[in-house]
């Protein structure tokens, strides 16, 4: 079964599932290790980890395509990939959809902000018209072969819940497969969004963002098809790195006993060194 077929099958089953965000390739292979069959390629955190830049439309299409292609190669899981605004107008959207699908992406996420965009949980977001975004969805639908299309709206903070729902209705009619109301602010708003549409609706559980982070069973009861957790691995890793570096700076301790550390040999195998060692055994003596 293809990766995209796995995602489609899970959506068709109608059972809520969770999708971790991966901010780098270590997170991607760890998600494989613990058994996730779908991951989320987060624009915010892949940009931060690769370039040390904010999610403000600074990373280019070419840079993000490379990151998503690398996640797809490194991971066995189906990849839902953040593609911002499609990196420009309708021709850019067409090109982005083609490129992402060729890179192995199973679902592409497009949003209705002006280009360059901003992180959905930060201020100063500006939106394009509903019609312009619906046209982007139509272009994406025409360009894709098998990949799913996620339509995200950032209208909640400027147009309220009613504006959010009106936009999502238009995007659903344009052909979006999955609807993404970004930055909802209450459980009541989430429930209303899920009750309104007959298509899958996804939740964004962004730690520290505008939306309350709820347990999976609550999100399932509300009616979401699935939830992404884009910041979980990144913020946990950042905290652990900070603690380890403080201990190194203050105590010269390079192996703190009170901090969990992944086994080096196990990680070598996880990242692919077994294949390298097998190659060396077969060919190492040959020049």
């Amino acid at each position: 079964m293809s990766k995209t077929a796995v995602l489609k099958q899970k959506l068709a089953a109608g059972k809520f599932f969770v999708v971790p965000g991966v901010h780098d390739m270590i997170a991607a292979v760890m998600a494989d290790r613990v058994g996730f069959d779908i991951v989320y390629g987060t624009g915010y955190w892949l940009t931060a980890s690769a370039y040390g830049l904010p999610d403000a439309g600074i990373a280019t299409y070419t840079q993000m395509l490379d990151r998503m292609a690398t996640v797809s190669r490194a991971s066995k899981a189906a990849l839902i990939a953040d593609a911002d605004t499609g990196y420009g107008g309708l021709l850019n959207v067409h090109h982005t959809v083609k490129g992402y699908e060729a890179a192995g992406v199973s679902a592409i996420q497009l949003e209705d902000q002006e280009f360059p965009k901003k992180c959905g949980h930060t201020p100063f977001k500006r939106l394009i018209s509903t019609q312009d975004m619906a046209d982007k969805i139509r272009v994406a639908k025409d360009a894709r072969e098998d990949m799913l299309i996620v339509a995200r709206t950032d209208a909640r903070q400027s147009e309220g819940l009613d504006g959010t729902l009106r936009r999502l209705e238009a995007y659903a009619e344009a052909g979006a497969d999955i609807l993404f109301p970004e930055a909802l602010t209450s459980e009541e708003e989430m429930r209303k969004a899920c009750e309104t549409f007959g298509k899958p609706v996804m939740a964004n559980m962004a730690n520290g963002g505008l939306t309350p982070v709820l347990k999976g069973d609550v999100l399932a009861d509300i009616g979401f098809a699935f939830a992404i957790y884009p910041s979980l691995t990144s913020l946990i890793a950042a905290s652990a790195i900070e603690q380890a570096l403080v201990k190194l700076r203050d105590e010269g301790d390079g192996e703190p006993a009170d901090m969990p550390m992944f086994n080096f040999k196990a990680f070598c195998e996880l990242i692919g060194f077994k294949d390298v060692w097998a190659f060396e055994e077969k060919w190492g003596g040959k020049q």
Side-chain angles (χ1 to χ4, degrees), residues 101-174:
E101 187 156 25
V105 170
S106 294
I108 186 169
Q109 175 195 307
L110 299 169
E111 63 200 56
D112 57 7
Q113 289 191 44
E114 290 184 3
F115 179 82
K117 56 74 58 88
K118 304 290 190 299
C119 167
H121 293 263
T122 60
F124 306 115
K125 296 177 291 183
R126 294 183 296 272
L127 307 185
I128 61 175
S129 72
T130 301
Q131 182 61 52
D132 285 348
M133 180 61 178
D135 286 343
K136 285 189 175 187
I137 298 300
R138 293 186 183 95
V139 167
K141 182 180 177 182
D142 183 69
R144 61 101 178 265
E145 297 292 333
D146 191 42
M147 182 171 61
L148 298 176
I149 299 167
V150 180
R152 167 178 144 179
T153 182
D154 287 78
R156 171 60 186 85
Q157 280 62 54
S158 58
E159 300 178 9
L161 181 61
D162 287 345
T164 296
L165 298 180
R166 285 195 299 271
R167 281 178 173 267
L168 289 179
E169 182 178 11
Y171 305 162
E173 291 176 355

Side-chain angles (χ1 to χ4, degrees), residues 83-95:
D84 290 349
T85 65
Y87 303 99
L90 297 181
L91 181 59
N92 302 90
V93 170
H94 172 88
H95 189 68

Side-chain angles (χ1 to χ4, degrees), residues 215-237:
K215 297 291 187 182
D217 58 346
V218 178
L219 295 170
D221 179 71
I222 288 172
F224 286 110
F226 64 94
I228 57 171
Y229 298 78
S231 58
L232 177 64
T233 60
S234 309
L235 292 175
I236 291 289

Side-chain angles (χ1 to χ4, degrees), residues 68-87:
M68 297 304 178
T70 306
V71 173
S72 181
R73 176 191 57 76
S75 173
K76 300 181 181 70
L79 174 61
I80 302 171
D82 184 355
D84 290 349
T85 65
Y87 303 99

